[in-house]
Amino acid sequence: MAVTITVNGQDHTLDLDPRVTLLDALRDHLHLTGSKKGCDHGQCGACTVLLNGRRVNSCLCLAVMHDGDEVTTIEGLAEGGPSPLQEAFVAHDGMQCGYCTPGQICSATAMLDEVAAGWPSHVSASLDCPVELTHDELAERMSGNLCRCSCYPGINAAITEVARRGKTEATE
Amino acid sequence: MTIEMKIDGPETVNRTDDMAQGVLGRDSARPDGLAKATGRATYAAEAHPEGMLHGVLRRAPGIGAVRCPNLEAVRAMPGVRAVLRDARMVRNAAQGMADEAPVQGVDEAAYVGQPIALVVAETFEQARHAAQRLEVAIERTDLPIDPDAVEPEVPEAKQSSQGDLDAAMRNAALTIDADYTTSSMNSAAMEPHAAVAEWDGTTLTLRGALQMLRFNRNELADSVGLSAEHVRILAPYVGGGFGSKLGISADCVAAALAAMELGQPVRVVQHRRNVFEVNTRRSETRQRIRLAADADGRLIGLGHEALVSNLPEETFAEPVVQASHFAYPGAARTLGIRIARIHRPAAGSVRAPGEAVGVTASEVAMDELAYAAGVDPVELRLRNIPEEDPERGVPFSSHRLKAALLDGAERFGWSGRPMAPRQRREGEWWIGTGMAAAFRVNMVVEAQARIRLHGAGAVVETDMTDIGTGSYAIFQQVAAELLGLPLAQTEVRLGDTALPPGSGSGGSVGAASTGTAVWLAAMELRRQIAARLGCDEAELTLKDGTATAGNTRQDLADILSGAELTGTGHVKPGDAAEKVRQATYGAHFAEVAVNDVTGEVRMRRMQGTFSAGRILNRRTARSQCHGGMIWGIGMALTETMTHDRRDGHVVNRDLAEYHVPVNADVPPLDVHLLEERDPWAGPMQAKGIGELGICGAAGAILNAIHHACGARLRDFPATPDRVLAALE
């Protein structure tokens, strides 16, 4: 089946077996291997990409269902230089083996937008108050991304720093 | 030129501290970090050689003789190129440092999940579909799967006894005699095992997810019937290992066989559900611990006897009592390991084999002794620090348990803790604190490394891997420190068997063993530079690309004048390990909340203080300790592989059902690394730290649960059902 997907700002028309997941389309057909396959089951978050700006597990998406959609991968976030989150993950050692890292960073990128938009989480005090990115809020919102090296302290420090910086810039 | 060194005695000169660049030991970023953060780091499955085919493993659904009745029909399916049922395919991954093929064969399934066929097709989707269509008929054999239901092997070499423990137990003022159990566990590294094999008619090139390449090369060569010089393995990035990638795995051998048969590159990636079966798990353990102490809690006798399991023909037995040989005193001692031969998936090394489960259980027993004696748990440990190895009578190379205990207690705010349990309640939650000591043996493994020095900088080369442990960062720092180069001018190339053989990653040996080889290679280059300047190496100061000797100062590039110098280092273990007892030490402190209604346990905070000789990179070392402590949270609260009672199959073989800690399970952690130099650890005086953080961590958590709610749990993990039952 033919499908056209915009990946990192570039249109790609692919002729795909309908069984091909979005993740495999990225990794095996476009050779964008930054998105990782950890479980192929939507259980680990390593395959997280931004689909029309929102985070999804790309292993749970069939590629042919995304004709006309816009996908941003970890490679896309680094276009024009590494993003603040990518730099902060290095600075705070938010990684060890690095295999979950692209998913963590894509997830965190969208998560900060969700917080800015005031989306509540399971641990939010109310459904309509502005969200403050406390340790509990951050940990809850990032718990779909497993890290077996267990770099959560570094991951959280990196995200917190970028969130704080973003907030400062927004008020300036 | 090569400098060879055997670690036979203490390093008295400490040349490392004479160096001028000031980068070793620093909190310094991973040079591979940005590649990982931007998706440019490529792991095993991410090569796409021209014409690559896709292989999917088919598993045995039962134990017994295997037949595939519709094999020909599957061969005829769209895109299918081969259905391999090759007798050279491996039953399970090789054990660490096996250096030869593991048990092979596809006609008899020894456990549920054993790979018995590889289906190769033009696309991954075709291969997966065809593999699912392949029927597997099992002529079922009833083989034991319950470790408690068989007569275990009692290997003589794994039993030791001194004095009369029974008499000590009879005569002691205080005794503890209890059974502790730990669960079958899985490494569950984020990157599933994967291989891309290419065969050019002479040489087999394999990109693999492997930890110890120099052994893996021999294991792969032996498995497929090639000589090792015709096998090359590449693993520049490995997505975590924790022991599960120590030995050659089923995907590697199957991919290699298929590539050799079909003459095209073949990729095989283990599905996450294969990962839980065909690699090695941590054995479940049943541990009887006996402590005999005087009225002040000073040990006079100690028993630690464990039952572990493994498949027939596997040499590995979880070395549960490894640290009990030296951790605590007591003239009467009985230690031993028994092995139940059962047909659950193979057991092997998982992060800190031995201590991860053994220290954890014995630290709960020590907590019980503290309560029996009415002595503060930190004080009880302080009273029981042996002056020398209590079994071998040799000195410790260095011993920083006391310092770690005191530092940790101070940082955690331990003093003033009420001894009695059930003293603090917040709503439905009981709050409590607990602690444990950490012990881990330290080892040196033979390793080689080469450094090429040219005008623009240095290139470090070894087949050593970086599985997230920080090898790239640490070797860069070691070479830059000795050669007086900025980090940016020091490149590190790893993970290629064409390079000098390093130690491999495993057993916390990587940084210190291969790092020492890098150190020796750099020392050799310093001698060559000194020779060019006509001075003694010890008079040479190298810093920021310049060399100073006496009154002369010259740019390194000018000294080399276009030449490239090469130095090689080669370290081997010597008899130091016989002269002293060498280990790493630490202390864990934990605060937990236990729900009185549901039995749920939430972590509040954890503190770890660790001592492991010179810390080579504070940032990567801290991350390793975080990792170990968080693994401790998993072991204490959630991680357990459930084996079906009928056939031993792993019931919860994915990440939705096997619960590794997620972000929300982890409280704020504080890690403090003590300054230490262990002269018996070679010229860097550094020891391994990758596994120390898990040793005992789960014990601190179970001790905190006891302090919170009064429930003494002896079975790991403390899941809500167990906590609730203990509360009532």
Side-chain angles (χ1 to χ4, degrees):
Chain A
M1 289 175 74
V3 60
T4 301
I5 306 174
T6 308
V7 180
N8 301 330
Q10 209 182 322
D11 288 351
H12 294 274
T13 300
L14 298 165
D15 184 20
L16 294 176
D17 185 318
R19 295 170 293 188
V20 174
T21 62
L22 178 58
L23 175 62
D24 286 334
L26 294 169
R27 283 170 65 81
D28 286 347
H29 296 265
L30 299 175
H31 294 188
L32 290 169
T33 55
S35 305
K36 302 303 182 192
K37 186 187 281 192
C39 69
D40 220 8
H41 260 53
Q43 299 170 342
C44 77
C47 66
T48 306
V49 299
L50 305 182
L51 182 68
N52 302 324
R54 285 174 59 174
R55 49 178 171 166
V56 295
N57 287 330
S58 61
C59 74
L60 294 184
C61 305
L62 291 172
V64 293
M65 293 170 74
H66 294 283
D67 191 45
D69 282 345
E70 284 188 19
V71 173
T72 304
T73 69
I74 191 73
E75 291 93 343
L77 293 179
E79 273 173 19
S83 76
L85 273 168
Q86 287 172 318
E87 285 178 339
F89 266 65
V90 178
H92 291 277
D93 217 29
M95 69 184 73
Q96 291 189 58
C97 81
Y99 200 77
C100 75
T101 311
Q104 299 277 358
I105 292 173
C106 285
S107 191
T109 301
M111 186 274 288
L112 291 178
D113 290 344
E114 293 161 15
V115 169
W119 292 15
S121 81
H122 173 66
V123 300
S124 300
S126 80
L127 296 180
D128 48 13
C129 284
V131 179
E132 197 193 332
L133 199 61
T134 59
H135 172 270
D136 286 354
E137 278 283 1
L138 195 164
E140 170 65 24
R141 289 164 189 268
M142 289 301 294
S143 280
N145 291 84
L146 306 185
C147 174
R148 187 54 160 166
C149 297
S150 304
C151 305
Y152 303 120
I155 290 167
N156 294 357
I159 298 172
T160 303
E161 187 210 302
V162 172
R164 197 182 303 128
R165 231 192 294 153
K167 224 172 175 179
T168 316
E169 279 162 21
T171 52
E172 270 168 8
Chain B
M1 294 289 286
T2 301
I3 301 186
E4 295 204 13
M5 176 182 277
K6 267 174 78 183
I7 312 284
D8 285 320
E11 171 72 36
T12 48
V13 189
N14 189 9
R15 292 301 317 283
T16 307
D17 281 331
D18 297 341
M19 300 298 151
Q21 191 65 24
V23 291
L24 191 60
R26 241 176 35 191
D27 183 328
S28 131
R30 294 168 195 269
D32 48 320
L34 205 55
K36 288 173 172 173
T38 55
R40 285 185 288 108
T42 48
Y43 297 77
E46 295 168 0
H48 294 92
E50 187 67 31
M52 184 175 79
L53 302 171
H54 300 260
V56 170
L57 293 166
R58 183 73 170 98
R59 66 191 278 274
I63 299 171
V66 174
R67 273 186 320 114
C68 294
N70 71 340
L71 195 135
E72 289 310 319
V74 170
R75 265 191 191 133
M77 284 178 68
V80 172
R81 296 289 300 279
V83 181
L84 235 68
R85 294 205 63 229
D86 192 307
R88 292 170 291 177
M89 288 173 64
V90 300
R91 180 182 74 176
N92 47 260
Q95 297 291 343
M97 301 166 109
D99 224 21
E100 61 183 15
V103 176
Q104 293 166 286
V106 290
D107 291 334
E108 288 287 332
Y111 63 94
V112 179
Q114 180 177 329
I116 49 85
L118 180 78
V119 179
V120 185
E122 280 158 19
T123 71
F124 169 63
E125 292 74 21
Q126 290 168 334
R128 183 180 57 191
H129 184 59
Q132 285 166 350
R133 282 283 174 274
L134 185 68
E135 290 169 22
V136 184
I138 300 283
E139 195 177 317
R140 198 178 150 172
T141 319
D142 263 335
L143 293 168
I145 49 94
D146 178 0
D148 292 315
V150 295
E151 190 61 39
E153 291 173 15
V154 187
E156 208 174 310
K158 295 187 193 297
Q159 320 303 318
S160 72
S161 189
Q162 284 173 220
D164 186 343
L165 181 60
D166 291 332
M169 290 292 286
R170 278 195 305 275
N171 300 331
L174 301 168
T175 60
I176 300 294
D177 183 353
D179 273 9
Y180 302 83
T181 65
T182 63
S183 282
S184 189
M185 284 178 270
N186 195 274
S187 295
M190 293 306 299
E191 179 202 20
H193 300 60
V196 175
E198 291 180 74
W199 170 246
D200 67 6
T202 313
T203 300
L204 175 67
T205 304
L206 183 116
R207 288 169 180 78
L210 295 161
Q211 294 178 224
M212 304 190 107
L213 300 196
R214 78 176 154 104
F215 299 99
N216 303 141
R217 179 161 88 150
N218 293 338
E219 290 154 4
L220 180 59
D222 190 30
S223 298
V224 302
L226 289 172
S227 64
E229 55 268 31
H230 293 129
V231 175
R232 182 182 183 190
I233 299 183
L234 300 164
Y237 293 99
V238 181
F242 316 111
S244 74
K245 294 170 181 168
L246 288 175
I248 204 76
S249 50
D251 50 292
C252 295
V253 175
L257 291 169
M260 290 166 75
E261 180 168 317
L262 297 168
Q264 272 176 264
V266 175
R267 178 171 88 186
V268 178
V269 183
Q270 289 188 22
H271 189 270
R272 174 56 61 186
R273 306 193 96 195
N274 297 132
V275 170
F276 277 83
E277 293 177 326
V278 311
N279 311 297
T280 49
R281 65 186 173 95
R282 195 197 298 281
S283 171
E284 69 293 320
T285 72
R286 177 175 295 285
Q287 306 177 40
R288 182 186 185 195
I289 298 179
R290 283 179 287 173
L291 302 175
D294 68 16
D296 296 329
R298 288 187 171 84
L299 287 165
I300 56 169
L302 180 154
H304 195 174
E305 294 152 289
L307 174 67
V308 303
S309 74
N310 212 338
L311 278 170
E313 297 174 79
E314 292 301 317
T315 52
F316 179 86
E318 179 76 28
V320 179
V321 303
Q322 193 158 256
S324 295
H325 287 293
F326 65 90
Y328 292 118
R333 316 171 69 81
T334 299
L335 282 73
I337 305 278
R338 292 169 299 136
I339 309 160
R341 289 293 169 198
I342 56 168
H343 290 260
R344 293 178 177 182
S349 293
V350 178
R351 196 175 202 164
E355 285 90 332
V357 286
V359 171
T360 292
S362 56
E363 287 302 304
V364 176
M366 286 296 279
D367 201 61
E368 297 196 47
L369 180 62
Y371 277 85
V375 174
D376 176 82
V378 173
E379 171 59 25
L380 184 88
R381 269 84 174 175
L382 292 172
R383 286 183 192 178
N384 282 294
I385 294 177
E387 288 183 356
E388 57 176 22
D389 182 300
E391 290 182 14
R392 291 162 46 205
V394 296
F396 292 104
S397 64
S398 69
H399 200 299
R400 301 297 305 283
L401 178 59
K402 181 179 177 184
L405 287 165
L406 295 176
D407 180 87
E410 170 74 27
R411 287 170 194 276
F412 185 77
W414 181 261
S415 75
R417 168 190 187 260
M419 181 86 181
R422 293 166 80 92
Q423 297 296 303
R424 189 171 155 205
R425 177 127 179 181
E426 295 177 7
E428 290 176 359
W429 298 88
W430 292 107
I431 315 297
T433 56
M435 58 79 56
F439 305 89
R440 173 70 180 156
V441 294
N442 190 64
M443 297 169 281
V444 176
V445 167
E446 181 174 2
Q448 295 182 51
R450 175 172 65 217
I451 305 178
R452 292 188 287 111
L453 182 67
H454 48 75
V459 183
V460 178
E461 297 174 321
T462 161
D463 82 353
M464 175 65 182
T465 48
D466 187 331
I467 60 172
T469 40
S471 309
Y472 281 108
I474 290 161
F475 302 159
Q476 184 188 48
Q477 287 170 287
V478 172
E481 184 68 43
L482 267 75
L483 296 172
L485 292 171
L487 290 174
Q489 289 175 28
T490 312
E491 187 193 337
V492 179
R493 292 184 190 157
L494 302 177
D496 180 350
T497 54
L499 303 175
S503 58
S505 301
S508 296
V509 306
S513 296
T514 309
T516 297
V518 174
W519 192 99
L520 295 170
M523 183 53 71
E524 161 60 22
L525 287 169
R526 289 178 59 90
R527 288 180 191 170
Q528 291 180 29
I529 295 163
R532 285 182 170 236
L533 291 174
C535 70
D536 193 59
E537 182 277 320
E539 299 166 50
L540 191 65
T541 301
L542 298 177
K543 191 172 190 312
D544 295 330
T546 64
T548 310
N551 296 326
T552 64
R553 184 182 166 137
Q554 247 183 296
D555 280 350
L556 200 54
D558 294 339
I559 299 169
L560 297 178
S561 63
E564 179 178 282
L565 305 183
T566 303
T568 306
H570 187 174
V571 66
K572 290 179 185 174
D575 54 13
E578 283 148 42
K579 294 174 188 162
V580 289
R581 164 64 75 177
Q582 188 171 64
T584 54
Y585 299 89
H588 295 281
F589 293 83
E591 180 177 319
V592 303
V594 182
N595 192 291
D596 193 48
V597 181
T598 65
E600 182 189 4
V601 178
R602 300 296 301 169
M603 298 301 304
R604 289 278 187 104
R605 62 191 175 106
M606 268 183 107
Q607 155 73 41
T609 296
F610 304 104
S611 196
R614 181 193 304 273
I615 300 301
L616 300 169
N617 181 323
R618 304 197 83 75
R619 188 179 308 186
T620 57
R622 196 182 308 116
S623 290
Q624 284 279 290
C625 295
H626 284 150
M629 290 161 72
I630 294 169
W631 275 55
I633 295 173
M635 194 196 295
L637 302 181
T638 56
E639 284 186 47
T640 177
M641 284 215 290
T642 303
H643 295 277
D644 185 279
R645 285 183 193 171
R646 295 159 302 175
D647 62 9
H649 83 261
V650 183
V651 175
N652 53 341
R653 53 195 180 95
D654 62 36
L655 295 167
E657 299 296 329
Y658 182 89
H659 294 158
V660 306
V662 304
N663 204 317
D665 294 323
V666 178
L669 305 180
D670 184 30
V671 166
H672 185 65
L673 304 167
L674 295 181
E675 276 294 331
E676 183 194 342
R677 301 282 183 268
D678 187 331
W680 289 83
M684 294 197 301
Q685 309 190 331
K687 296 183 280 197
I689 200 165
E691 299 171 312
L692 181 58
I694 189 178
C695 303
I701 295 168
L702 260 65
N703 294 340
I705 292 172
H706 169 257
H707 186 242
C709 67
R712 177 62 77 185
L713 285 113
R714 300 190 179 98
D715 301 305
F716 294 81
T719 45
D721 53 323
R722 286 175 168 171
V723 176
L724 206 53
L727 271 167
E728 282 163 357

